[in-house]
Amino acid sequence: MPGKFSETAKKFAFKKLPDSEVELSGEVPYEEVAPYRDRALKHMVEHMELPGFRKGKVPADMALKKVGELGVLEEAVEMLMQDLYPALLAEHKVDAVSRPDIRINKLAPNNPIGLILNIAVYPEVKIPLTWKTIGDSVPLEPAQPATDEEIKQTLESLQQSRKIKNEDGTEVVPELTDEFAKSVGAFETLEALKEQIKKGIGEEKARAAKDKRRGAIVDKLLEKVEVEVPRIFVESEQGKFLSQLKEDIARFNIPYDDYLKRTGKTEEQLLEDFRDQAYKRAKLQLTLNKIADDEKVVADDASVEAEIKHALEHFPDAKPELLRIHIETVLKNEKVLRMLEGDPTPVIATPHDHSHE
């Protein structure tokens, strides 16, 4: 109800804070809070239990005595904010990106209610005018072909993974023969297997060289981008890093608490270790979003639908609307990154195309 509280919202003071946050502070006349007071008390009664009374059957006067008038007013302010907050955002043109941190600094019956709101806002992102040519100064290092030693090591790993038991029950490493090559895959000869290994290593080195160039281009771009990254964005990325760490630890069957003891760190310290990486990732996403908006970059509908279908087959409990946002972001990110690299090839989604999330 922005209109209902527009006059009150106008009287709130606006203050810009660091880290892409703003502060709104002011007072709400008690007569605007009063209508919410009875609703708040009724809500508290519905959820209160006292000896001798069933849940929701506590008399209002007893409920008021238990929680106190200030307790009821605090609940009333929470209800009030559902209507006042949209008016504050509209009046002060605040592009909020999260729920506000609300503090009550004045609270008394029949008096104005003092409020201070800290709100994270979507930041202005300034991209250098020369962003399209940044990749021109970052050469692609030629990938070196697979060495004999690398091919040998890969074959040895395959041998180790296919140990067989002899008549004595002892595990032995199979010999490198054409028969061994056939057991690995559709290879008629050992030489064919070696050629495939050589090709695979070469392709992996080529991908690594492209990734290295992409990383260098991103670093050069971010050096020139001006943006105040919201703290909440950084904290969100820190949480993602921590979740990934927990998944990695679980794969090795190591209890998380044991990992903390072994490293001698608290979870808070781990989060702090991730801060710089999280800040960079958040800044990069803001940058990619800005370029995508400016260049009208959109995700291909067919690729999005294919990815959603594939993901739901593996994660049927995932929320389709959130999944769609994630996949569209990943595909748009890839398009923008290829623009930075000067790569004109279209982005075709694959079931594992989740880079730069």
Side-chain angles (χ1 to χ4, degrees):
M1 304 180 189
K4 178 180 177 182
F5 290 100
S6 58
E7 288 304 314
T8 298
K10 288 178 183 178
K11 296 175 183 177
F12 269 64
F14 177 95
K15 180 181 178 182
K16 196 173 186 306
L17 301 177
D19 300 324
S20 194
E21 292 186 5
V22 298
E23 177 186 281
L24 296 176
S25 59
E27 294 184 346
V28 182
Y30 185 77
E31 56 266 25
E32 292 186 359
V33 182
Y36 295 87
R37 188 241 179 225
D38 290 343
R39 284 171 49 190
L41 181 58
K42 181 181 178 182
H43 176 78
M44 297 174 99
V45 166
E46 290 172 351
H47 294 82
M48 184 176 289
E49 292 183 55
L50 286 178
F53 297 95
R54 296 197 309 274
K55 184 177 180 180
K57 298 300 182 180
V58 178
D61 58 339
M62 290 185 66
L64 177 59
K65 185 176 180 181
K66 180 174 175 61
V67 300
E69 183 63 31
L70 291 184
V72 176
L73 283 179
E74 286 180 353
E75 181 76 14
V77 170
E78 286 192 26
M79 293 181 169
L80 163 79
M81 289 309 302
Q82 296 177 21
D83 296 331
L84 174 60
Y85 186 53
L88 288 168
L89 296 183
E91 178 62 35
H92 296 278
K93 297 180 175 56
V94 174
D95 186 6
V97 295
S98 67
R99 293 170 61 89
D101 174 24
I102 303 173
R103 287 170 288 148
I104 302 174
N105 65 345
K106 185 193 293 186
L107 184 68
N110 302 308
N111 281 278
I113 308 299
L115 297 173
I116 299 176
L117 290 77
N118 279 25
I119 308 167
V121 298
Y122 202 88
E124 179 185 4
V125 185
K126 295 182 180 178
I127 306 292
L129 296 176
T130 57
W131 69 267
K132 289 183 180 180
T133 60
I134 284 178
D136 296 349
S137 61
V138 183
L140 175 64
E141 295 180 6
Q144 299 300 314
T147 65
D148 291 341
E149 182 61 28
E150 288 169 337
I151 296 171
K152 178 184 175 184
Q153 289 176 356
T154 303
L155 283 170
E156 288 176 352
S157 295
L158 284 172
Q159 283 179 286
Q160 292 295 324
S161 68
R162 284 171 168 72
K163 286 181 180 179
I164 56 176
K165 290 185 178 181
N166 60 17
E167 295 178 356
D168 299 329
T170 306
E171 284 191 332
V172 295
V173 175
E175 293 183 15
L176 291 175
T177 63
D178 290 344
E179 289 303 313
F180 173 77
K182 291 176 182 178
S183 73
V184 172
F187 304 103
E188 289 298 318
T189 66
L190 180 61
E191 284 305 311
L193 173 59
K194 288 181 179 179
E195 281 301 313
Q196 181 58 41
I197 291 172
K198 180 178 180 180
K199 178 184 177 184
I201 292 174
E203 290 174 348
E204 180 57 37
K205 286 185 174 183
R207 282 193 294 270
K210 288 189 68 174
D211 288 345
K212 183 178 179 181
R213 178 174 182 256
R214 173 174 286 189
I217 292 171
V218 164
D219 287 343
K220 291 192 73 170
L221 174 63
L222 293 184
E223 285 176 6
K224 300 177 182 298
V225 171
E226 296 179 24
V227 60
E228 283 192 23
V229 180
R231 179 167 43 91
I232 190 171
F233 286 9
V234 178
E235 291 172 351
S236 174
E237 294 298 338
Q238 285 174 296
K240 292 176 186 177
F241 277 116
L242 183 63
S243 295
Q244 184 61 57
L245 175 64
K246 288 180 178 179
E247 288 180 17
D248 294 342
I249 293 169
R251 288 195 192 97
F252 291 99
N253 296 317
I254 300 174
Y256 180 57
D257 288 343
D258 287 355
Y259 176 82
L260 293 178
K261 289 176 183 177
R262 291 184 191 183
T263 58
K265 291 187 176 182
T266 64
E267 184 166 285
E268 290 72 23
Q269 288 172 323
L270 288 177
L271 287 169
E272 188 59 33
D273 289 345
F274 294 134
R275 179 170 292 279
D276 288 347
Q277 291 172 275
Y279 177 87
K280 180 179 178 181
R281 185 186 282 184
K283 184 177 181 180
L284 174 59
Q285 188 59 63
L286 287 166
T287 300
L288 297 178
N289 289 350
K290 173 64 173 174
I291 294 175
D293 288 345
D294 289 351
E295 299 296 315
K296 306 295 189 293
V297 174
V298 296
D300 176 68
D301 289 339
S303 293
V304 172
E305 294 303 327
E307 281 290 276
I308 290 175
K309 180 181 178 182
H310 173 83
L312 288 176
E313 288 172 356
H314 291 77
F315 306 100
D317 295 332
K319 294 182 179 180
E321 63 275 13
L322 296 179
L323 196 58
R324 178 179 295 276
I325 292 171
H326 169 72
I327 289 170
E328 287 178 347
T329 299
V330 170
L331 295 179
K332 285 197 294 184
N333 285 353
E334 183 63 22
K335 279 191 173 184
V336 174
L337 288 164
R338 290 193 185 182
M339 290 169 67
L340 287 162
E341 294 169 327
D343 184 352
T345 57
V347 176
I348 301 175
T350 68
H352 304 290
D353 191 5
H354 296 293
S355 59
H356 305 279
E357 296 180 0

PDB file of all heavy atoms in Angstrom, residues 62-86:
ATOM      1  N   MET A  62      -5.073 -11.852  29.510  1.00  0.00           N
ATOM      2  CA  MET A  62      -3.993 -12.667  30.071  1.00  0.00           C
ATOM      3  C   MET A  62      -2.792 -12.696  29.117  1.00  0.00           C
ATOM      4  O   MET A  62      -1.639 -12.664  29.545  1.00  0.00           O
ATOM      5  CB  MET A  62      -4.493 -14.081  30.335  1.00  0.00           C
ATOM      6  CG  MET A  62      -5.500 -14.172  31.485  1.00  0.00           C
ATOM      7  SD  MET A  62      -5.960 -15.870  31.871  1.00  0.00           S
ATOM      8  CE  MET A  62      -4.392 -16.499  32.488  1.00  0.00           C
ATOM      9  N   ALA A  63      -3.084 -12.774  27.824  1.00  0.00           N
ATOM     10  CA  ALA A  63      -2.000 -12.758  26.833  1.00  0.00           C
ATOM     11  C   ALA A  63      -1.244 -11.448  26.901  1.00  0.00           C
ATOM     12  O   ALA A  63       0.000 -11.416  26.853  1.00  0.00           O
ATOM     13  CB  ALA A  63      -2.571 -12.974  25.424  1.00  0.00           C
ATOM     14  N   LEU A  64      -1.965 -10.341  27.025  1.00  0.00           N
ATOM     15  CA  LEU A  64      -1.335  -9.031  27.107  1.00  0.00           C
ATOM     16  C   LEU A  64      -0.462  -8.924  28.353  1.00  0.00           C
ATOM     17  O   LEU A  64       0.645  -8.384  28.311  1.00  0.00           O
ATOM     18  CB  LEU A  64      -2.401  -7.945  27.113  1.00  0.00           C
ATOM     19  CG  LEU A  64      -1.915  -6.503  27.268  1.00  0.00           C
ATOM     20  CD1 LEU A  64      -0.948  -6.141  26.135  1.00  0.00           C
ATOM     21  CD2 LEU A  64      -3.097  -5.537  27.281  1.00  0.00           C
ATOM     22  N   LYS A  65      -0.962  -9.477  29.466  1.00  0.00           N
ATOM     23  CA  LYS A  65      -0.202  -9.437  30.709  1.00  0.00           C
ATOM     24  C   LYS A  65       1.095 -10.230  30.576  1.00  0.00           C
ATOM     25  O   LYS A  65       2.139  -9.823  31.105  1.00  0.00           O
ATOM     26  CB  LYS A  65      -1.050  -9.995  31.844  1.00  0.00           C
ATOM     27  CG  LYS A  65      -0.392  -9.878  33.215  1.00  0.00           C
ATOM     28  CD  LYS A  65      -1.329 -10.351  34.319  1.00  0.00           C
ATOM     29  CE  LYS A  65      -0.648 -10.236  35.687  1.00  0.00           C
ATOM     30  NZ  LYS A  65      -1.539 -10.706  36.778  1.00  0.00           N
ATOM     31  N   LYS A  66       1.034 -11.354  29.834  1.00  0.00           N
ATOM     32  CA  LYS A  66       2.225 -12.199  29.690  1.00  0.00           C
ATOM     33  C   LYS A  66       3.293 -11.541  28.810  1.00  0.00           C
ATOM     34  O   LYS A  66       4.477 -11.531  29.146  1.00  0.00           O
ATOM     35  CB  LYS A  66       1.844 -13.554  29.090  1.00  0.00           C
ATOM     36  CG  LYS A  66       3.046 -14.488  28.907  1.00  0.00           C
ATOM     37  CD  LYS A  66       2.611 -15.857  28.465  1.00  0.00           C
ATOM     38  CE  LYS A  66       3.824 -16.743  28.171  1.00  0.00           C
ATOM     39  NZ  LYS A  66       4.683 -16.941  29.362  1.00  0.00           N
ATOM     40  N   VAL A  67       2.893 -10.975  27.671  1.00  0.00           N
ATOM     41  CA  VAL A  67       3.886 -10.437  26.730  1.00  0.00           C
ATOM     42  C   VAL A  67       4.176  -8.959  26.967  1.00  0.00           C
ATOM     43  O   VAL A  67       5.224  -8.454  26.551  1.00  0.00           O
ATOM     44  CB  VAL A  67       3.445 -10.653  25.268  1.00  0.00           C
ATOM     45  CG1 VAL A  67       3.268 -12.125  24.986  1.00  0.00           C
ATOM     46  CG2 VAL A  67       2.154  -9.897  24.961  1.00  0.00           C
ATOM     47  N   GLY A  68       3.251  -8.259  27.601  1.00  0.00           N
ATOM     48  CA  GLY A  68       3.455  -6.837  27.855  1.00  0.00           C
ATOM     49  C   GLY A  68       3.057  -5.996  26.661  1.00  0.00           C
ATOM     50  O   GLY A  68       3.054  -6.457  25.510  1.00  0.00           O
ATOM     51  N   GLU A  69       2.746  -4.728  26.921  1.00  0.00           N
ATOM     52  CA  GLU A  69       2.331  -3.825  25.847  1.00  0.00           C
ATOM     53  C   GLU A  69       3.433  -3.608  24.824  1.00  0.00           C
ATOM     54  O   GLU A  69       3.173  -3.535  23.612  1.00  0.00           O
ATOM     55  CB  GLU A  69       1.898  -2.473  26.436  1.00  0.00           C
ATOM     56  CG  GLU A  69       1.376  -1.474  25.412  1.00  0.00           C
ATOM     57  CD  GLU A  69       0.116  -1.941  24.702  1.00  0.00           C
ATOM     58  OE1 GLU A  69      -0.683  -2.677  25.324  1.00  0.00           O
ATOM     59  OE2 GLU A  69      -0.071  -1.575  23.521  1.00  0.00           O
ATOM     60  N   LEU A  70       4.688  -3.552  25.279  1.00  0.00           N
ATOM     61  CA  LEU A  70       5.783  -3.345  24.326  1.00  0.00           C
ATOM     62  C   LEU A  70       5.953  -4.556  23.419  1.00  0.00           C
ATOM     63  O   LEU A  70       6.294  -4.415  22.234  1.00  0.00           O
ATOM     64  CB  LEU A  70       7.084  -3.057  25.082  1.00  0.00           C
ATOM     65  CG  LEU A  70       7.160  -1.725  25.827  1.00  0.00           C
ATOM     66  CD1 LEU A  70       8.545  -1.527  26.439  1.00  0.00           C
ATOM     67  CD2 LEU A  70       6.829  -0.555  24.896  1.00  0.00           C
ATOM     68  N   GLY A  71       5.717  -5.735  23.976  1.00  0.00           N
ATOM     69  CA  GLY A  71       5.797  -6.941  23.151  1.00  0.00           C
ATOM     70  C   GLY A  71       4.761  -6.933  22.047  1.00  0.00           C
ATOM     71  O   GLY A  71       5.031  -7.322  20.906  1.00  0.00           O
ATOM     72  N   VAL A  72       3.544  -6.482  22.383  1.00  0.00           N
ATOM     73  CA  VAL A  72       2.485  -6.382  21.378  1.00  0.00           C
ATOM     74  C   VAL A  72       2.843  -5.331  20.333  1.00  0.00           C
ATOM     75  O   VAL A  72       2.649  -5.533  19.121  1.00  0.00           O
ATOM     76  CB  VAL A  72       1.135  -6.036  22.039  1.00  0.00           C
ATOM     77  CG1 VAL A  72       0.052  -5.844  20.972  1.00  0.00           C
ATOM     78  CG2 VAL A  72       0.722  -7.138  23.015  1.00  0.00           C
ATOM     79  N   LEU A  73       3.418  -4.211  20.778  1.00  0.00           N
ATOM     80  CA  LEU A  73       3.788  -3.161  19.829  1.00  0.00           C
ATOM     81  C   LEU A  73       4.891  -3.623  18.869  1.00  0.00           C
ATOM     82  O   LEU A  73       4.889  -3.273  17.693  1.00  0.00           O
ATOM     83  CB  LEU A  73       4.236  -1.908  20.583  1.00  0.00           C
ATOM     84  CG  LEU A  73       3.126  -1.041  21.185  1.00  0.00           C
ATOM     85  CD1 LEU A  73       3.712   0.150  21.921  1.00  0.00           C
ATOM     86  CD2 LEU A  73       2.150  -0.568  20.098  1.00  0.00           C
ATOM     87  N   GLU A  74       5.822  -4.404  19.381  1.00  0.00           N
ATOM     88  CA  GLU A  74       6.880  -4.923  18.504  1.00  0.00           C
ATOM     89  C   GLU A  74       6.284  -5.801  17.415  1.00  0.00           C
ATOM     90  O   GLU A  74       6.676  -5.731  16.245  1.00  0.00           O
ATOM     91  CB  GLU A  74       7.900  -5.714  19.325  1.00  0.00           C
ATOM     92  CG  GLU A  74       8.818  -4.841  20.169  1.00  0.00           C
ATOM     93  CD  GLU A  74       9.823  -5.657  20.960  1.00  0.00           C
ATOM     94  OE1 GLU A  74       9.715  -6.906  20.947  1.00  0.00           O
ATOM     95  OE2 GLU A  74      10.708  -5.059  21.588  1.00  0.00           O
ATOM     96  N   GLU A  75       5.326  -6.644  17.796  1.00  0.00           N
ATOM     97  CA  GLU A  75       4.636  -7.483  16.811  1.00  0.00           C
ATOM     98  C   GLU A  75       3.845  -6.612  15.836  1.00  0.00           C
ATOM     99  O   GLU A  75       3.799  -6.883  14.624  1.00  0.00           O
ATOM    100  CB  GLU A  75       3.701  -8.452  17.534  1.00  0.00           C
ATOM    101  CG  GLU A  75       2.937  -9.393  16.624  1.00  0.00           C
ATOM    102  CD  GLU A  75       3.793 -10.526  16.078  1.00  0.00           C
ATOM    103  OE1 GLU A  75       4.908 -10.746  16.601  1.00  0.00           O
ATOM    104  OE2 GLU A  75       3.355 -11.177  15.117  1.00  0.00           O
ATOM    105  N   ALA A  76       3.236  -5.549  16.342  1.00  0.00           N
ATOM    106  CA  ALA A  76       2.461  -4.640  15.491  1.00  0.00           C
ATOM    107  C   ALA A  76       3.357  -3.955  14.462  1.00  0.00           C
ATOM    108  O   ALA A  76       2.967  -3.766  13.305  1.00  0.00           O
ATOM    109  CB  ALA A  76       1.743  -3.599  16.347  1.00  0.00           C
ATOM    110  N   VAL A  77       4.570  -3.578  14.882  1.00  0.00           N
ATOM    111  CA  VAL A  77       5.509  -2.929  13.964  1.00  0.00           C
ATOM    112  C   VAL A  77       5.893  -3.892  12.839  1.00  0.00           C
ATOM    113  O   VAL A  77       6.015  -3.485  11.672  1.00  0.00           O
ATOM    114  CB  VAL A  77       6.758  -2.433  14.719  1.00  0.00           C
ATOM    115  CG1 VAL A  77       7.833  -1.981  13.729  1.00  0.00           C
ATOM    116  CG2 VAL A  77       6.394  -1.278  15.644  1.00  0.00           C
ATOM    117  N   GLU A  78       6.089  -5.176  13.161  1.00  0.00           N
ATOM    118  CA  GLU A  78       6.405  -6.164  12.120  1.00  0.00           C
ATOM    119  C   GLU A  78       5.297  -6.223  11.082  1.00  0.00           C
ATOM    120  O   GLU A  78       5.550  -6.297   9.875  1.00  0.00           O
ATOM    121  CB  GLU A  78       6.624  -7.537  12.746  1.00  0.00           C
ATOM    122  CG  GLU A  78       7.949  -7.675  13.485  1.00  0.00           C
ATOM    123  CD  GLU A  78       8.257  -9.117  13.841  1.00  0.00           C
ATOM    124  OE1 GLU A  78       7.764 -10.026  13.135  1.00  0.00           O
ATOM    125  OE2 GLU A  78       8.979  -9.339  14.817  1.00  0.00           O
ATOM    126  N   MET A  79       4.067  -6.211  11.549  1.00  0.00           N
ATOM    127  CA  MET A  79       2.929  -6.227  10.622  1.00  0.00           C
ATOM    128  C   MET A  79       2.844  -4.928   9.826  1.00  0.00           C
ATOM    129  O   MET A  79       2.577  -4.929   8.619  1.00  0.00           O
ATOM    130  CB  MET A  79       1.627  -6.444  11.395  1.00  0.00           C
ATOM    131  CG  MET A  79       1.499  -7.811  12.026  1.00  0.00           C
ATOM    132  SD  MET A  79      -0.072  -8.003  12.910  1.00  0.00           S
ATOM    133  CE  MET A  79      -0.066  -9.776  13.236  1.00  0.00           C
ATOM    134  N   LEU A  80       3.086  -3.821  10.495  1.00  0.00           N
ATOM    135  CA  LEU A  80       3.082  -2.511   9.839  1.00  0.00           C
ATOM    136  C   LEU A  80       4.084  -2.460   8.689  1.00  0.00           C
ATOM    137  O   LEU A  80       3.802  -1.912   7.615  1.00  0.00           O
ATOM    138  CB  LEU A  80       3.401  -1.426  10.866  1.00  0.00           C
ATOM    139  CG  LEU A  80       3.842  -0.058  10.325  1.00  0.00           C
ATOM    140  CD1 LEU A  80       2.628   0.725   9.870  1.00  0.00           C
ATOM    141  CD2 LEU A  80       4.615   0.717  11.387  1.00  0.00           C
ATOM    142  N   MET A  81       5.277  -3.046   8.909  1.00  0.00           N
ATOM    143  CA  MET A  81       6.337  -2.960   7.909  1.00  0.00           C
ATOM    144  C   MET A  81       5.950  -3.633   6.598  1.00  0.00           C
ATOM    145  O   MET A  81       6.465  -3.269   5.541  1.00  0.00           O
ATOM    146  CB  MET A  81       7.627  -3.578   8.448  1.00  0.00           C
ATOM    147  CG  MET A  81       8.311  -2.748   9.537  1.00  0.00           C
ATOM    148  SD  MET A  81       8.536  -1.009   9.070  1.00  0.00           S
ATOM    149  CE  MET A  81       9.518  -1.187   7.576  1.00  0.00           C
ATOM    150  N   GLN A  82       5.074  -4.614   6.636  1.00  0.00           N
ATOM    151  CA  GLN A  82       4.634  -5.254   5.397  1.00  0.00           C
ATOM    152  C   GLN A  82       3.964  -4.241   4.460  1.00  0.00           C
ATOM    153  O   GLN A  82       4.000  -4.396   3.243  1.00  0.00           O
ATOM    154  CB  GLN A  82       3.675  -6.396   5.714  1.00  0.00           C
ATOM    155  CG  GLN A  82       4.324  -7.532   6.495  1.00  0.00           C
ATOM    156  CD  GLN A  82       3.330  -8.620   6.860  1.00  0.00           C
ATOM    157  OE1 GLN A  82       2.277  -8.755   6.249  1.00  0.00           O
ATOM    158  NE2 GLN A  82       3.663  -9.402   7.877  1.00  0.00           N
ATOM    159  N   ASP A  83       3.364  -3.215   5.040  1.00  0.00           N
ATOM    160  CA  ASP A  83       2.708  -2.176   4.241  1.00  0.00           C
ATOM    161  C   ASP A  83       3.575  -0.929   4.073  1.00  0.00           C
ATOM    162  O   ASP A  83       3.552  -0.278   3.029  1.00  0.00           O
ATOM    163  CB  ASP A  83       1.380  -1.786   4.893  1.00  0.00           C
ATOM    164  CG  ASP A  83       0.389  -2.940   4.913  1.00  0.00           C
ATOM    165  OD1 ASP A  83       0.461  -3.796   4.011  1.00  0.00           O
ATOM    166  OD2 ASP A  83      -0.454  -2.992   5.829  1.00  0.00           O
ATOM    167  N   LEU A  84       4.331  -0.604   5.116  1.00  0.00           N
ATOM    168  CA  LEU A  84       5.157   0.607   5.066  1.00  0.00           C
ATOM    169  C   LEU A  84       6.385   0.427   4.181  1.00  0.00           C
ATOM    170  O   LEU A  84       6.777   1.355   3.460  1.00  0.00           O
ATOM    171  CB  LEU A  84       5.591   0.988   6.490  1.00  0.00           C
ATOM    172  CG  LEU A  84       6.588   2.150   6.620  1.00  0.00           C
ATOM    173  CD1 LEU A  84       6.003   3.439   6.037  1.00  0.00           C
ATOM    174  CD2 LEU A  84       6.987   2.353   8.090  1.00  0.00           C
ATOM    175  N   TYR A  85       6.987  -0.744   4.210  1.00  0.00           N
ATOM    176  CA  TYR A  85       8.239  -0.969   3.490  1.00  0.00           C
ATOM    177  C   TYR A  85       8.106  -0.697   1.987  1.00  0.00           C
ATOM    178  O   TYR A  85       8.949   0.003   1.413  1.00  0.00           O
ATOM    179  CB  TYR A  85       8.735  -2.395   3.753  1.00  0.00           C
ATOM    180  CG  TYR A  85      10.103  -2.694   3.180  1.00  0.00           C
ATOM    181  CD1 TYR A  85      11.202  -1.884   3.465  1.00  0.00           C
ATOM    182  CD2 TYR A  85      10.305  -3.798   2.346  1.00  0.00           C
ATOM    183  CE1 TYR A  85      12.463  -2.161   2.947  1.00  0.00           C
ATOM    184  CE2 TYR A  85      11.555  -4.089   1.829  1.00  0.00           C
ATOM    185  CZ  TYR A  85      12.621  -3.265   2.124  1.00  0.00           C
ATOM    186  OH  TYR A  85      13.866  -3.545   1.606  1.00  0.00           O
ATOM    187  N   PRO A  86       7.069  -1.199   1.298  1.00  0.00           N
ATOM    188  CA  PRO A  86       6.930  -0.875  -0.135  1.00  0.00           C
ATOM    189  C   PRO A  86       6.815   0.627  -0.382  1.00  0.00           C
ATOM    190  O   PRO A  86       7.327   1.141  -1.389  1.00  0.00           O
ATOM    191  CB  PRO A  86       5.636  -1.603  -0.538  1.00  0.00           C
ATOM    192  CG  PRO A  86       5.493  -2.701   0.448  1.00  0.00           C
ATOM    193  CD  PRO A  86       6.021  -2.149   1.739  1.00  0.00           C
TER     194      PRO A  86
END
